[in-house]
């Protein structure tokens, strides 16, 4: 079992940056693939990006490619989502999730993830 806790959300102006953290307990975070998802009001939860277990391989949604970066600090058992050049359309609740299966691919479907954090709000003002 893995417990995930997100932090780092907040209010930022368009063009600004935020770094979200996803801290894990109960299991080494490098042993699971971690995905970041977001959900805006009235919209479905969507895949933002992910980092594969025991690897530096990452995958991003087209909407954030080139602006967002995912990294992992194994010593802190934490995965980060660095968000730059933020836009108002990035406003959402952001979730990190863990996929315990040793897949070679990073799933972009929320249904494939076993563990979820509580979410953190990101609001980008124009």
């Amino acid at each position: 079992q893995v417990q995930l806790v997100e932090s780092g959300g907040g209010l930022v102006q368009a063009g600004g940056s935020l770094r979200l953290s996803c801290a894990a307990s109960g299991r080494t975070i490098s042993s699971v693939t971690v995905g970041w998802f977001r959900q805006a009001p009235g919209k479905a939860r969507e895949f933002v990006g992910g980092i594969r277990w025991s690897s530096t391989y990452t995958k991003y949604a087209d909407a954030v490619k080139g602006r967002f970066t995912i990294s992992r600090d194994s010593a802190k058992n934490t995965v980060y989502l660095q968000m730059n050049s933020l836009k108002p359309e990035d406003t959402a609740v952001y979730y990190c999730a863990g996929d315990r299966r040793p897949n070679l691919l990073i799933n972009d479907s929320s249904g494939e993830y076993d563990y979820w954090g509580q979410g953190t709000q990101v609001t980008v003002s124009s």
Side-chain angles (χ1 to χ4, degrees):
Q1 190 73 4
V2 178
Q3 291 78 45
L4 302 173
V5 178
E6 303 97 336
S7 61
L11 173 64
V12 64
Q13 288 189 329
S17 298
L18 280 176
R19 188 178 77 162
L20 305 185
S21 299
C22 174
S25 60
R27 187 170 173 175
T28 302
I29 202 167
S30 60
S31 67
V32 298
T33 290
V34 174
W36 284 95
F37 291 80
R38 66 186 182 185
Q39 188 166 20
K43 294 188 177 181
R45 190 169 297 189
E46 65 175 356
F47 176 77
V48 173
I51 184 166
R52 196 175 68 189
W53 65 282
S54 194
S55 169
T56 57
Y57 174 74
T58 54
K59 172 182 174 180
Y60 300 94
D62 288 343
V64 306
K65 202 171 293 183
R67 300 188 297 124
F68 291 11
T69 303
I70 297 171
S71 61
R72 180 175 56 238
D73 186 334
S74 296
K76 296 184 177 179
N77 219 31
T78 299
V79 167
Y80 301 100
L81 176 65
Q82 177 68 43
M83 305 185 295
N84 299 329
S85 302
L86 283 162
K87 305 175 181 180
E89 51 263 45
D90 294 319
T91 295
V93 177
Y94 282 71
Y95 300 88
C96 65
D99 177 357
R100 62 184 178 182
R101 287 160 290 240
N103 295 320
L104 294 179
L105 301 178
I106 298 172
N107 283 307
D108 57 10
S109 171
S110 60
E112 298 296 327
Y113 287 79
D114 307 289
Y115 316 113
W116 288 86
Q118 82 288 354
T120 185
Q121 176 71 47
V122 171
T123 303
V124 184
S125 63
S126 57

